[in-house]
Amino acid sequence: MPTKTTPSQPRVTFFTPEKVRALLEVITNGSGDELLTLHELKVTGCHPFSNSTRIRKIHKNEYPEPIKISQQMCLFKAGDIRRWRKDPIAFKKTNAKKGAI
């Protein structure tokens, strides 16, 4: 008789306070070229939106656009997140000018 297999559970990664501080240090003081996952941004509090709000804000140039790595993976540049955190209004105006060119 065949054995029953159970679907694999999604991997849950836990971030220690030290890891969260290190990620915030990268976002705040890094070179800006570092790439971060959406999960890392959510853990640090740099992404306070639901998925639908994030998508809407990206389309309206109100939030940094991710870099698509594959169909299921996208990464955000730390420098873009830093600019958005400093001044979301100025970020929108800067990105609106880029789209108009």
Side-chain angles (χ1 to χ4, degrees):
M1 178 176 241
T3 60
K4 257 188 176 177
T5 59
T6 59
S8 61
Q9 295 293 322
R11 292 174 72 184
V12 178
T13 54
F14 295 100
F15 286 89
T16 62
E18 294 80 22
K19 176 72 173 174
V20 173
R21 279 194 289 275
L23 287 170
L24 282 170
E25 181 66 24
V26 165
I27 293 168
T28 308
N29 299 318
S31 69
D33 293 329
E34 299 88 358
L35 298 174
L36 304 163
T37 65
L38 181 60
H39 184 65
E40 290 171 333
L41 292 176
K42 286 183 177 184
V43 167
T44 59
C46 294
H47 179 75
F49 312 116
S50 67
N51 289 339
S52 58
T53 300
R54 180 188 76 247
I55 292 167
R56 186 179 72 247
K57 286 185 170 289
I58 289 170
H59 287 296
K60 293 169 116 181
N61 295 319
E62 295 175 359
Y63 193 74
E65 189 168 343
I67 299 167
K68 193 90 164 151
I69 302 299
S70 69
Q71 277 189 330
Q72 297 178 348
M73 180 77 170
C74 62
L75 301 171
F76 293 84
K77 285 185 77 173
D80 292 343
I81 299 298
R82 183 183 312 140
R83 279 191 311 114
W84 175 80
R85 287 181 72 199
K86 276 186 178 177
D87 190 358
I89 305 297
F91 182 86
K92 180 180 180 180
K93 289 178 183 175
T94 304
N95 278 4
K97 288 178 186 173
K98 286 181 185 176
I101 295 175

